Amino acid sequence: MPYEPPTHTVERSLRATTGAKTVAGVDEVGRGAWAGPVTVCAAVTGLRRPPAGLTDSKLISPKRRAELAPVLESWVTAFGLGDATAQEIDELGMTAALRLAAVRALEALPVRPDAVILDGKHDYLGQPWKVRTVIKGDQSCIAVAAASVIAKVHRDTMMAELGAESGEYADFAFGANAGYPSPVHRAALEEQGPTPHHRLSWSYLDALPRWQHLKKVRFSAEAAALESGGQLGFDF
């Protein structure tokens, strides 16, 4: 299906209206998985022309993503990666865990960005970061698209290593499903129960009577308030 290539339009707007010199694009992967971390990448690209074929990672084949990620890592001005573990997701809730991973990614950059383009509708970063949210930013904004590919390949590689055929969790086939629901993943869960890498507050445990006793209370009252609020900060 044809798609419009991403541009620097939002970044140029931020530079013109706010005086920002360094703008980072931020995207996440792993939000809906049953196992593994949520991973965030922050990418700074400047205003240079991107490598051919760059778009939202979900629109690129796994083979092409794997080829494109190292090209992007060399092409971007800078990038940082941050993870929030399954245990942190259980303890904090997804909104706060996303913020934790995003802050880790942003703080891994060599220079603190003056503004952030955040993929999606909600600002889960909040103050003191100056955030512009962009729905489908991973398709329309070059820096966010680059972040989406780097984050996806990083997390997929991590999950593939975790589910290696010779490893302890081979039956879960994490290399194929990246911790998301799949028939093989479901079957392994039913037979063996969750691993230390599974999110134990997720509702999939409700359908596994043998393992329901492992389910954790999702998160604290403070985190629940943040989660239900939808946004932790502001847009501009």
Side-chain angles (χ1 to χ4, degrees):
M1 184 175 181
Y3 55 85
E4 291 293 323
T7 69
H8 290 300
T9 300
V10 176
E11 185 171 340
R12 291 182 190 277
S13 172
L14 284 172
R15 287 169 175 256
T17 59
T18 71
K21 294 182 179 179
T22 302
V23 179
V26 171
D27 199 16
E28 56 76 25
V29 64
R31 188 192 302 237
W34 287 357
V38 62
T39 297
V40 174
C41 179
V44 178
T45 65
L47 298 175
R48 292 171 298 136
R49 180 178 296 179
L54 176 63
T55 187
D56 172 13
S57 64
K58 295 185 292 295
L59 301 177
I60 305 174
S61 70
K63 180 176 183 295
R64 177 58 182 149
R65 280 198 304 262
E67 295 169 348
L68 187 57
V71 174
L72 289 170
E73 290 178 11
S74 298
W75 171 79
V76 297
T77 303
F79 74 94
L81 287 158
D83 298 311
T85 66
Q87 290 75 25
E88 289 170 329
I89 294 168
D90 286 334
E91 179 181 349
L92 300 172
M94 182 53 74
T95 299
L98 276 171
R99 185 180 197 278
L100 180 63
V103 169
R104 287 169 174 167
L106 288 162
E107 290 183 343
L109 294 171
V111 177
R112 183 184 178 94
D114 302 309
V116 174
I117 305 171
L118 187 62
D119 179 53
K121 180 179 179 181
H122 298 300
D123 174 13
Y124 55 76
L125 263 172
Q127 298 186 36
W129 306 94
K130 295 181 178 180
V131 175
R132 174 74 58 84
T133 57
V134 178
I135 296 173
K136 294 188 178 179
D138 47 10
Q139 294 183 34
S140 60
C141 303
I142 286 173
V144 180
S148 77
V149 173
I150 295 172
K152 175 66 173 167
V153 172
H154 169 80
R155 187 180 183 279
D156 282 356
T157 300
M158 183 191 314
M159 296 304 294
E161 291 172 352
L162 186 62
E165 291 184 8
S166 60
E168 184 178 358
Y169 309 118
D171 290 344
F172 290 86
F174 290 142
N177 59 54
Y180 286 84
S182 74
V184 172
H185 189 171
R186 290 172 186 268
L189 267 171
E190 190 167 352
E191 177 64 27
Q192 302 180 31
T195 73
H197 304 283
H198 277 86
R199 303 169 187 181
L200 298 181
S201 59
W202 252 226
S203 61
Y204 68 83
L205 279 173
D206 295 337
L208 299 172
R210 183 179 173 189
W211 308 105
Q212 279 182 358
H213 65 285
L214 297 176
K215 189 171 182 179
K216 292 185 177 180
V217 176
R218 189 148 203 174
F219 39 82
S220 67
E222 180 180 0
L226 291 172
E227 186 85 357
S228 63
Q231 294 198 31
L232 297 178
F234 59 93
D235 291 346
F236 70 97

mmCIF file of all heavy atoms in Angstrom, residues 21-74:
data_model
loop_
_atom_site.group_PDB
_atom_site.id
_atom_site.type_symbol
_atom_site.label_atom_id
_atom_site.label_comp_id
_atom_site.label_asym_id
_atom_site.label_seq_id
_atom_site.Cartn_x
_atom_site.Cartn_y
_atom_site.Cartn_z
ATOM 1 N N LYS A 21 16.948 24.025 19.193
ATOM 2 C CA LYS A 21 18.047 23.687 18.297
ATOM 3 C C LYS A 21 18.205 22.175 18.138
ATOM 4 O O LYS A 21 18.536 21.687 17.065
ATOM 5 C CB LYS A 21 19.344 24.306 18.816
ATOM 6 C CG LYS A 21 19.342 25.833 18.789
ATOM 7 C CD LYS A 21 20.657 26.382 19.267
ATOM 8 C CE LYS A 21 20.670 27.914 19.215
ATOM 9 N NZ LYS A 21 21.958 28.479 19.701
ATOM 10 N N THR A 22 18.012 21.451 19.230
ATOM 11 C CA THR A 22 18.106 19.992 19.197
ATOM 12 C C THR A 22 16.736 19.400 19.463
ATOM 13 O O THR A 22 16.146 19.640 20.519
ATOM 14 C CB THR A 22 19.103 19.476 20.262
ATOM 15 O OG1 THR A 22 20.384 20.066 20.036
ATOM 16 C CG2 THR A 22 19.227 17.960 20.190
ATOM 17 N N VAL A 23 16.223 18.656 18.485
ATOM 18 C CA VAL A 23 14.897 18.039 18.592
ATOM 19 C C VAL A 23 15.060 16.532 18.477
ATOM 20 O O VAL A 23 15.694 16.044 17.531
ATOM 21 C CB VAL A 23 13.951 18.559 17.495
ATOM 22 C CG1 VAL A 23 12.584 17.879 17.613
ATOM 23 C CG2 VAL A 23 13.806 20.080 17.580
ATOM 24 N N ALA A 24 14.493 15.804 19.410
ATOM 25 C CA ALA A 24 14.556 14.339 19.390
ATOM 26 C C ALA A 24 13.208 13.755 19.029
ATOM 27 O O ALA A 24 12.163 14.227 19.502
ATOM 28 C CB ALA A 24 15.000 13.806 20.753
ATOM 29 N N GLY A 25 13.207 12.737 18.195
ATOM 30 C CA GLY A 25 12.004 11.956 17.924
ATOM 31 C C GLY A 25 12.002 10.736 18.833
ATOM 32 O O GLY A 25 13.037 10.095 19.020
ATOM 33 N N VAL A 26 10.858 10.431 19.429
ATOM 34 C CA VAL A 26 10.764 9.346 20.409
ATOM 35 C C VAL A 26 9.641 8.394 20.027
ATOM 36 O O VAL A 26 8.526 8.827 19.714
ATOM 37 C CB VAL A 26 10.521 9.908 21.825
ATOM 38 C CG1 VAL A 26 10.203 8.788 22.806
ATOM 39 C CG2 VAL A 26 11.744 10.689 22.303
ATOM 40 N N ASP A 27 9.937 7.088 20.056
ATOM 41 C CA ASP A 27 8.914 6.074 19.801
ATOM 42 C C ASP A 27 9.183 4.864 20.671
ATOM 43 O O ASP A 27 10.319 4.637 21.113
ATOM 44 C CB ASP A 27 8.898 5.681 18.324
ATOM 45 C CG ASP A 27 7.590 4.993 17.925
ATOM 46 O OD1 ASP A 27 6.608 5.089 18.682
ATOM 47 O OD2 ASP A 27 7.557 4.351 16.863
ATOM 48 N N GLU A 28 8.117 4.096 20.905
ATOM 49 C CA GLU A 28 8.219 2.915 21.775
ATOM 50 C C GLU A 28 7.806 1.664 21.034
ATOM 51 O O GLU A 28 7.105 1.712 20.017
ATOM 52 C CB GLU A 28 7.354 3.109 23.018
ATOM 53 C CG GLU A 28 5.886 3.411 22.778
ATOM 54 C CD GLU A 28 5.038 2.226 22.361
ATOM 55 O OE1 GLU A 28 5.411 1.086 22.686
ATOM 56 O OE2 GLU A 28 4.008 2.435 21.703
ATOM 57 N N VAL A 29 8.192 0.524 21.594
ATOM 58 C CA VAL A 29 7.775 -0.776 21.086
ATOM 59 C C VAL A 29 7.643 -1.720 22.274
ATOM 60 O O VAL A 29 8.383 -1.604 23.252
ATOM 61 C CB VAL A 29 8.779 -1.334 20.040
ATOM 62 C CG1 VAL A 29 10.141 -1.585 20.665
ATOM 63 C CG2 VAL A 29 8.239 -2.587 19.380
ATOM 64 N N GLY A 30 6.680 -2.634 22.175
ATOM 65 C CA GLY A 30 6.504 -3.626 23.237
ATOM 66 C C GLY A 30 5.388 -3.321 24.201
ATOM 67 O O GLY A 30 5.191 -4.052 25.177
ATOM 68 N N ARG A 31 4.606 -2.280 23.921
ATOM 69 C CA ARG A 31 3.549 -1.889 24.853
ATOM 70 C C ARG A 31 2.548 -3.026 25.084
ATOM 71 O O ARG A 31 2.119 -3.258 26.200
ATOM 72 C CB ARG A 31 2.824 -0.654 24.302
ATOM 73 C CG ARG A 31 1.833 -0.042 25.281
ATOM 74 C CD ARG A 31 0.937 0.993 24.609
ATOM 75 N NE ARG A 31 1.689 2.068 24.009
ATOM 76 C CZ ARG A 31 1.517 3.357 24.306
ATOM 77 N NH1 ARG A 31 0.620 3.707 25.201
ATOM 78 N NH2 ARG A 31 2.230 4.278 23.688
ATOM 79 N N GLY A 32 2.151 -3.746 24.041
ATOM 80 C CA GLY A 32 1.108 -4.759 24.169
ATOM 81 C C GLY A 32 1.611 -6.179 24.342
ATOM 82 O O GLY A 32 0.811 -7.117 24.321
ATOM 83 N N ALA A 33 2.907 -6.350 24.518
ATOM 84 C CA ALA A 33 3.464 -7.704 24.669
ATOM 85 C C ALA A 33 3.106 -8.295 26.029
ATOM 86 O O ALA A 33 2.833 -7.569 26.985
ATOM 87 C CB ALA A 33 4.976 -7.671 24.488
ATOM 88 N N TRP A 34 3.139 -9.614 26.115
ATOM 89 C CA TRP A 34 2.936 -10.307 27.384
ATOM 90 C C TRP A 34 4.258 -10.500 28.122
ATOM 91 O O TRP A 34 4.258 -10.697 29.334
ATOM 92 C CB TRP A 34 2.317 -11.673 27.141
ATOM 93 C CG TRP A 34 0.876 -11.628 26.736
ATOM 94 C CD1 TRP A 34 0.084 -10.520 26.618
ATOM 95 C CD2 TRP A 34 0.058 -12.750 26.399
ATOM 96 N NE1 TRP A 34 -1.176 -10.874 26.224
ATOM 97 C CE2 TRP A 34 -1.224 -12.245 26.073
ATOM 98 C CE3 TRP A 34 0.287 -14.119 26.315
ATOM 99 C CZ2 TRP A 34 -2.276 -13.073 25.695
ATOM 100 C CZ3 TRP A 34 -0.763 -14.944 25.932
ATOM 101 C CH2 TRP A 34 -2.036 -14.425 25.633
ATOM 102 N N ALA A 35 5.354 -10.496 27.397
ATOM 103 C CA ALA A 35 6.664 -10.747 27.996
ATOM 104 C C ALA A 35 7.678 -9.757 27.434
ATOM 105 O O ALA A 35 7.520 -9.244 26.322
ATOM 106 C CB ALA A 35 7.123 -12.176 27.715
ATOM 107 N N GLY A 36 8.718 -9.517 28.227
ATOM 108 C CA GLY A 36 9.772 -8.623 27.789
ATOM 109 C C GLY A 36 9.519 -7.179 28.185
ATOM 110 O O GLY A 36 8.452 -6.833 28.693
ATOM 111 N N PRO A 37 10.501 -6.331 27.946
ATOM 112 C CA PRO A 37 10.392 -4.932 28.342
ATOM 113 C C PRO A 37 9.576 -4.119 27.353
ATOM 114 O O PRO A 37 9.250 -4.595 26.260
ATOM 115 C CB PRO A 37 11.852 -4.476 28.315
ATOM 116 C CG PRO A 37 12.436 -5.259 27.172
ATOM 117 C CD PRO A 37 11.776 -6.618 27.261
ATOM 118 N N VAL A 38 9.243 -2.912 27.746
ATOM 119 C CA VAL A 38 8.841 -1.892 26.788
ATOM 120 C C VAL A 38 10.108 -1.097 26.488
ATOM 121 O O VAL A 38 10.875 -0.763 27.390
ATOM 122 C CB VAL A 38 7.707 -0.997 27.326
ATOM 123 C CG1 VAL A 38 8.109 -0.220 28.572
ATOM 124 C CG2 VAL A 38 7.220 -0.051 26.247
ATOM 125 N N THR A 39 10.364 -0.855 25.214
ATOM 126 C CA THR A 39 11.609 -0.234 24.773
ATOM 127 C C THR A 39 11.311 1.084 24.073
ATOM 128 O O THR A 39 10.385 1.161 23.259
ATOM 129 C CB THR A 39 12.369 -1.161 23.810
ATOM 130 O OG1 THR A 39 12.728 -2.357 24.505
ATOM 131 C CG2 THR A 39 13.633 -0.502 23.274
ATOM 132 N N VAL A 40 12.086 2.101 24.398
ATOM 133 C CA VAL A 40 11.925 3.422 23.797
ATOM 134 C C VAL A 40 13.246 3.839 23.164
ATOM 135 O O VAL A 40 14.321 3.610 23.737
ATOM 136 C CB VAL A 40 11.496 4.468 24.843
ATOM 137 C CG1 VAL A 40 11.481 5.873 24.245
ATOM 138 C CG2 VAL A 40 10.121 4.122 25.401
ATOM 139 N N CYS A 41 13.162 4.437 21.986
ATOM 140 C CA CYS A 41 14.342 5.031 21.347
ATOM 141 C C CYS A 41 14.095 6.521 21.178
ATOM 142 O O CYS A 41 13.000 6.953 20.819
ATOM 143 C CB CYS A 41 14.611 4.397 19.988
ATOM 144 S SG CYS A 41 16.050 5.111 19.126
ATOM 145 N N ALA A 42 15.121 7.305 21.455
ATOM 146 C CA ALA A 42 15.128 8.736 21.166
ATOM 147 C C ALA A 42 16.184 8.971 20.097
ATOM 148 O O ALA A 42 17.340 8.567 20.267
ATOM 149 C CB ALA A 42 15.464 9.532 22.426
ATOM 150 N N ALA A 43 15.793 9.591 18.991
ATOM 151 C CA ALA A 43 16.715 9.796 17.867
ATOM 152 C C ALA A 43 16.755 11.274 17.492
ATOM 153 O O ALA A 43 15.722 11.938 17.409
ATOM 154 C CB ALA A 43 16.292 8.965 16.668
ATOM 155 N N VAL A 44 17.964 11.761 17.278
ATOM 156 C CA VAL A 44 18.183 13.131 16.795
ATOM 157 C C VAL A 44 18.742 13.017 15.380
ATOM 158 O O VAL A 44 19.749 12.335 15.162
ATOM 159 C CB VAL A 44 19.161 13.897 17.707
ATOM 160 C CG1 VAL A 44 19.416 15.305 17.160
ATOM 161 C CG2 VAL A 44 18.628 13.961 19.133
ATOM 162 N N THR A 45 18.082 13.659 14.422
ATOM 163 C CA THR A 45 18.482 13.497 13.031
ATOM 164 C C THR A 45 18.908 14.788 12.351
ATOM 165 O O THR A 45 19.425 14.753 11.240
ATOM 166 C CB THR A 45 17.332 12.892 12.208
ATOM 167 O OG1 THR A 45 16.241 13.825 12.168
ATOM 168 C CG2 THR A 45 16.841 11.593 12.811
ATOM 169 N N GLY A 46 18.690 15.939 12.987
ATOM 170 C CA GLY A 46 18.919 17.181 12.264
ATOM 171 C C GLY A 46 17.923 17.281 11.122
ATOM 172 O O GLY A 46 16.833 16.717 11.169
ATOM 173 N N LEU A 47 18.294 17.977 10.075
ATOM 174 C CA LEU A 47 17.381 18.186 8.945
ATOM 175 C C LEU A 47 17.898 17.538 7.661
ATOM 176 O O LEU A 47 17.542 17.940 6.557
ATOM 177 C CB LEU A 47 17.157 19.693 8.727
ATOM 178 C CG LEU A 47 16.505 20.427 9.904
ATOM 179 C CD1 LEU A 47 16.448 21.919 9.630
ATOM 180 C CD2 LEU A 47 15.111 19.883 10.198
ATOM 181 N N ARG A 48 18.724 16.505 7.814
ATOM 182 C CA ARG A 48 19.284 15.842 6.641
ATOM 183 C C ARG A 48 18.289 14.879 6.014
ATOM 184 O O ARG A 48 17.367 14.399 6.658
ATOM 185 C CB ARG A 48 20.556 15.095 7.043
ATOM 186 C CG ARG A 48 21.703 16.016 7.433
ATOM 187 C CD ARG A 48 22.867 15.247 8.045
ATOM 188 N NE ARG A 48 22.466 14.578 9.275
ATOM 189 C CZ ARG A 48 22.800 13.333 9.582
ATOM 190 N NH1 ARG A 48 23.518 12.621 8.724
ATOM 191 N NH2 ARG A 48 22.432 12.800 10.722
ATOM 192 N N ARG A 49 18.500 14.574 4.743
ATOM 193 C CA ARG A 49 17.652 13.622 4.028
ATOM 194 C C ARG A 49 17.904 12.225 4.567
ATOM 195 O O ARG A 49 19.051 11.794 4.694
ATOM 196 C CB ARG A 49 17.956 13.674 2.532
ATOM 197 C CG ARG A 49 17.111 12.708 1.706
ATOM 198 C CD ARG A 49 17.414 12.842 0.230
ATOM 199 N NE ARG A 49 17.045 14.169 -0.272
ATOM 200 C CZ ARG A 49 17.217 14.565 -1.521
ATOM 201 N NH1 ARG A 49 17.782 13.737 -2.401
ATOM 202 N NH2 ARG A 49 16.858 15.772 -1.888
ATOM 203 N N PRO A 50 16.842 11.474 4.867
ATOM 204 C CA PRO A 50 17.027 10.149 5.481
ATOM 205 C C PRO A 50 17.363 9.083 4.450
ATOM 206 O O PRO A 50 17.190 9.284 3.241
ATOM 207 C CB PRO A 50 15.646 9.880 6.096
ATOM 208 C CG PRO A 50 14.704 10.574 5.170
ATOM 209 C CD PRO A 50 15.425 11.849 4.748
ATOM 210 N N PRO A 51 17.805 7.921 4.920
ATOM 211 C CA PRO A 51 18.008 6.779 4.010
ATOM 212 C C PRO A 51 16.696 6.407 3.319
ATOM 213 O O PRO A 51 15.607 6.578 3.866
ATOM 214 C CB PRO A 51 18.478 5.664 4.953
ATOM 215 C CG PRO A 51 19.050 6.371 6.139
ATOM 216 C CD PRO A 51 18.228 7.609 6.303
ATOM 217 N N ALA A 52 16.811 5.887 2.126
ATOM 218 C CA ALA A 52 15.638 5.508 1.340
ATOM 219 C C ALA A 52 14.816 4.443 2.060
ATOM 220 O O ALA A 52 15.351 3.530 2.689
ATOM 221 C CB ALA A 52 16.069 4.988 -0.029
ATOM 222 N N GLY A 53 13.496 4.589 1.971
ATOM 223 C CA GLY A 53 12.604 3.583 2.514
ATOM 224 C C GLY A 53 12.246 3.757 3.971
ATOM 225 O O GLY A 53 11.519 2.923 4.533
ATOM 226 N N LEU A 54 12.697 4.822 4.604
ATOM 227 C CA LEU A 54 12.395 5.020 6.019
ATOM 228 C C LEU A 54 10.918 5.345 6.204
ATOM 229 O O LEU A 54 10.372 6.233 5.550
ATOM 230 C CB LEU A 54 13.250 6.152 6.592
ATOM 231 C CG LEU A 54 12.943 6.524 8.054
ATOM 232 C CD1 LEU A 54 13.240 5.347 8.984
ATOM 233 C CD2 LEU A 54 13.737 7.750 8.473
ATOM 234 N N THR A 55 10.276 4.632 7.130
ATOM 235 C CA THR A 55 8.916 4.919 7.548
ATOM 236 C C THR A 55 8.693 4.193 8.873
ATOM 237 O O THR A 55 9.637 3.637 9.455
ATOM 238 C CB THR A 55 7.886 4.481 6.480
ATOM 239 O OG1 THR A 55 6.577 4.929 6.882
ATOM 240 C CG2 THR A 55 7.876 2.976 6.292
ATOM 241 N N ASP A 56 7.461 4.203 9.338
ATOM 242 C CA ASP A 56 7.082 3.478 10.544
ATOM 243 C C ASP A 56 7.569 2.032 10.449
ATOM 244 O O ASP A 56 7.354 1.355 9.442
ATOM 245 C CB ASP A 56 5.559 3.543 10.668
ATOM 246 C CG ASP A 56 4.991 2.669 11.764
ATOM 247 O OD1 ASP A 56 5.752 2.174 12.611
ATOM 248 O OD2 ASP A 56 3.761 2.498 11.763
ATOM 249 N N SER A 57 8.194 1.552 11.513
ATOM 250 C CA SER A 57 8.761 0.195 11.487
ATOM 251 C C SER A 57 7.714 -0.867 11.202
ATOM 252 O O SER A 57 8.028 -1.921 10.638
ATOM 253 C CB SER A 57 9.446 -0.104 12.828
ATOM 254 O OG SER A 57 8.503 -0.117 13.888
ATOM 255 N N LYS A 58 6.456 -0.619 11.575
ATOM 256 C CA LYS A 58 5.407 -1.618 11.356
ATOM 257 C C LYS A 58 5.078 -1.781 9.876
ATOM 258 O O LYS A 58 4.438 -2.761 9.485
ATOM 259 C CB LYS A 58 4.144 -1.222 12.133
ATOM 260 C CG LYS A 58 4.318 -1.222 13.649
ATOM 261 C CD LYS A 58 3.022 -0.944 14.369
ATOM 262 C CE LYS A 58 2.521 0.472 14.168
ATOM 263 N NZ LYS A 58 3.445 1.486 14.773
ATOM 264 N N LEU A 59 5.489 -0.825 9.055
ATOM 265 C CA LEU A 59 5.223 -0.893 7.624
ATOM 266 C C LEU A 59 6.391 -1.490 6.841
ATOM 267 O O LEU A 59 6.333 -1.574 5.617
ATOM 268 C CB LEU A 59 4.917 0.508 7.077
ATOM 269 C CG LEU A 59 3.718 1.227 7.704
ATOM 270 C CD1 LEU A 59 3.577 2.621 7.113
ATOM 271 C CD2 LEU A 59 2.443 0.421 7.517
ATOM 272 N N ILE A 60 7.435 -1.898 7.553
ATOM 273 C CA ILE A 60 8.639 -2.433 6.918
ATOM 274 C C ILE A 60 8.779 -3.899 7.285
ATOM 275 O O ILE A 60 8.536 -4.286 8.431
ATOM 276 C CB ILE A 60 9.892 -1.649 7.376
ATOM 277 C CG1 ILE A 60 9.722 -0.155 7.127
ATOM 278 C CG2 ILE A 60 11.140 -2.147 6.650
ATOM 279 C CD1 ILE A 60 10.851 0.697 7.696
ATOM 280 N N SER A 61 9.180 -4.720 6.347
ATOM 281 C CA SER A 61 9.344 -6.149 6.620
ATOM 282 C C SER A 61 10.463 -6.366 7.637
ATOM 283 O O SER A 61 11.384 -5.543 7.758
ATOM 284 C CB SER A 61 9.688 -6.896 5.330
ATOM 285 O OG SER A 61 11.004 -6.568 4.901
ATOM 286 N N PRO A 62 10.406 -7.464 8.393
ATOM 287 C CA PRO A 62 11.476 -7.744 9.359
ATOM 288 C C PRO A 62 12.860 -7.755 8.722
ATOM 289 O O PRO A 62 13.821 -7.241 9.317
ATOM 290 C CB PRO A 62 11.106 -9.126 9.905
ATOM 291 C CG PRO A 62 9.618 -9.190 9.758
ATOM 292 C CD PRO A 62 9.307 -8.447 8.488
ATOM 293 N N LYS A 63 12.979 -8.320 7.534
ATOM 294 C CA LYS A 63 14.277 -8.367 6.855
ATOM 295 C C LYS A 63 14.773 -6.952 6.557
ATOM 296 O O LYS A 63 15.941 -6.626 6.809
ATOM 297 C CB LYS A 63 14.175 -9.176 5.561
ATOM 298 C CG LYS A 63 15.474 -9.298 4.773
ATOM 299 C CD LYS A 63 15.274 -10.194 3.556
ATOM 300 C CE LYS A 63 16.584 -10.400 2.790
ATOM 301 N NZ LYS A 63 17.093 -9.150 2.197
ATOM 302 N N ARG A 64 13.889 -6.112 6.024
ATOM 303 C CA ARG A 64 14.285 -4.749 5.684
ATOM 304 C C ARG A 64 14.592 -3.942 6.938
ATOM 305 O O ARG A 64 15.527 -3.135 6.943
ATOM 306 C CB ARG A 64 13.174 -4.084 4.858
ATOM 307 C CG ARG A 64 13.455 -2.625 4.498
ATOM 308 C CD ARG A 64 14.749 -2.475 3.733
ATOM 309 N NE ARG A 64 15.028 -1.084 3.430
ATOM 310 C CZ ARG A 64 16.235 -0.567 3.318
ATOM 311 N NH1 ARG A 64 17.307 -1.334 3.474
ATOM 312 N NH2 ARG A 64 16.393 0.704 3.023
ATOM 313 N N ARG A 65 13.822 -4.155 8.011
ATOM 314 C CA ARG A 65 14.111 -3.459 9.273
ATOM 315 C C ARG A 65 15.507 -3.794 9.769
ATOM 316 O O ARG A 65 16.256 -2.910 10.204
ATOM 317 C CB ARG A 65 13.092 -3.854 10.350
ATOM 318 C CG ARG A 65 11.766 -3.159 10.267
ATOM 319 C CD ARG A 65 11.020 -3.265 11.577
ATOM 320 N NE ARG A 65 10.824 -4.628 12.027
ATOM 321 C CZ ARG A 65 9.720 -5.338 11.848
ATOM 322 N NH1 ARG A 65 8.694 -4.801 11.188
ATOM 323 N NH2 ARG A 65 9.612 -6.563 12.316
ATOM 324 N N ALA A 66 15.846 -5.083 9.721
ATOM 325 C CA ALA A 66 17.159 -5.515 10.204
ATOM 326 C C ALA A 66 18.280 -4.911 9.371
ATOM 327 O O ALA A 66 19.370 -4.624 9.891
ATOM 328 C CB ALA A 66 17.249 -7.038 10.185
ATOM 329 N N GLU A 67 18.039 -4.705 8.079
ATOM 330 C CA GLU A 67 19.040 -4.076 7.215
ATOM 331 C C GLU A 67 19.121 -2.570 7.462
ATOM 332 O O GLU A 67 20.203 -1.974 7.420
ATOM 333 C CB GLU A 67 18.683 -4.323 5.754
ATOM 334 C CG GLU A 67 18.745 -5.774 5.334
ATOM 335 C CD GLU A 67 18.138 -6.015 3.955
ATOM 336 O OE1 GLU A 67 17.465 -5.108 3.413
ATOM 337 O OE2 GLU A 67 18.347 -7.124 3.409
ATOM 338 N N LEU A 68 17.974 -1.956 7.727
ATOM 339 C CA LEU A 68 17.908 -0.507 7.847
ATOM 340 C C LEU A 68 18.411 0.000 9.183
ATOM 341 O O LEU A 68 18.999 1.093 9.256
ATOM 342 C CB LEU A 68 16.454 -0.055 7.632
ATOM 343 C CG LEU A 68 16.176 1.443 7.548
ATOM 344 C CD1 LEU A 68 16.995 2.106 6.448
ATOM 345 C CD2 LEU A 68 14.674 1.676 7.333
ATOM 346 N N ALA A 69 18.212 -0.759 10.252
ATOM 347 C CA ALA A 69 18.561 -0.272 11.588
ATOM 348 C C ALA A 69 20.030 0.139 11.711
ATOM 349 O O ALA A 69 20.324 1.251 12.194
ATOM 350 C CB ALA A 69 18.199 -1.304 12.646
ATOM 351 N N PRO A 70 21.005 -0.687 11.307
ATOM 352 C CA PRO A 70 22.403 -0.250 11.435
ATOM 353 C C PRO A 70 22.730 0.949 10.552
ATOM 354 O O PRO A 70 23.576 1.772 10.904
ATOM 355 C CB PRO A 70 23.208 -1.487 11.040
ATOM 356 C CG PRO A 70 22.276 -2.359 10.279
ATOM 357 C CD PRO A 70 20.918 -2.088 10.829
ATOM 358 N N VAL A 71 22.050 1.052 9.405
ATOM 359 C CA VAL A 71 22.243 2.227 8.548
ATOM 360 C C VAL A 71 21.772 3.473 9.283
ATOM 361 O O VAL A 71 22.443 4.512 9.304
ATOM 362 C CB VAL A 71 21.474 2.059 7.220
ATOM 363 C CG1 VAL A 71 21.550 3.336 6.391
ATOM 364 C CG2 VAL A 71 22.019 0.880 6.439
ATOM 365 N N LEU A 72 20.610 3.373 9.932
ATOM 366 C CA LEU A 72 20.080 4.502 10.679
ATOM 367 C C LEU A 72 20.954 4.864 11.871
ATOM 368 O O LEU A 72 21.159 6.047 12.175
ATOM 369 C CB LEU A 72 18.662 4.188 11.159
ATOM 370 C CG LEU A 72 17.586 4.150 10.083
ATOM 371 C CD1 LEU A 72 16.284 3.581 10.644
ATOM 372 C CD2 LEU A 72 17.349 5.546 9.518
ATOM 373 N N GLU A 73 21.472 3.857 12.544
ATOM 374 C CA GLU A 73 22.315 4.124 13.709
ATOM 375 C C GLU A 73 23.557 4.911 13.323
ATOM 376 O O GLU A 73 24.061 5.721 14.113
ATOM 377 C CB GLU A 73 22.693 2.810 14.389
ATOM 378 C CG GLU A 73 21.513 2.133 15.084
ATOM 379 C CD GLU A 73 21.888 0.809 15.711
ATOM 380 O OE1 GLU A 73 23.096 0.504 15.794
ATOM 381 O OE2 GLU A 73 20.975 0.074 16.138
ATOM 382 N N SER A 74 24.055 4.690 12.108
ATOM 383 C CA SER A 74 25.209 5.456 11.615
ATOM 384 C C SER A 74 24.794 6.814 11.057
ATOM 385 O O SER A 74 25.565 7.768 11.097
ATOM 386 C CB SER A 74 25.938 4.665 10.521
ATOM 387 O OG SER A 74 26.436 3.451 11.015
#
